């Protein structure tokens, strides 16, 4: 399950939002599954940790601290 699905210029942008400072692998896996199912390459994971990127082949999830927003 994805928390937010945004649409910009006909592009789907999935966003997962968590309060935790730790990345939970099951949430990342759900996000990658969504990316793969919809044939998109980038998703966002907003959480309390550090700025980072997790890659899986050509797909990537940008880990963004909520205090950056």
């Amino acid at each position: 399950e994805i928390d937010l699905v945004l649409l910009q210029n006909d592009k789907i942008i999935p966003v997962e939002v968590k309060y935790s400072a730790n990345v939970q692998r099951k949430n990342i896996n759900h996000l990658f599954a969504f990316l793969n199912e919809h044939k998109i390459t980038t998703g966002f994971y907003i959480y309390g940790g550090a700025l980072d990127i997790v890659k899986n082949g050509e797909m990537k999830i940008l880990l963004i601290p909520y205090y950056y927003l």
Side-chain angles (χ1 to χ4, degrees):
E1 93 189 39
I2 303 301
D3 293 325
L4 299 166
V5 178
L6 307 174
L7 186 63
Q8 182 179 17
N9 299 327
D10 295 327
K11 290 181 77 175
I12 296 172
I13 304 167
V15 180
E16 186 74 24
V17 180
K18 299 296 177 195
Y19 181 74
S20 174
N22 300 315
V23 175
Q24 296 178 2
R25 196 64 178 152
K26 66 179 181 176
N27 294 325
I28 291 291
N29 289 342
H30 288 156
L31 200 45
F32 276 127
F34 186 91
L35 294 176
N36 189 49
E37 180 180 336
H38 295 279
K39 303 200 182 334
I40 52 182
T41 58
T42 305
F44 295 89
Y45 189 96
I46 299 171
Y47 75 128
L51 185 64
D52 204 353
I53 297 175
V54 177
K55 294 182 179 180
N56 182 356
E58 292 188 19
M59 296 181 295
K60 64 183 173 188
I61 297 172
L62 304 174
L63 307 178
I64 302 174
Y66 52 74
Y67 49 83
Y68 275 30
L69 303 177

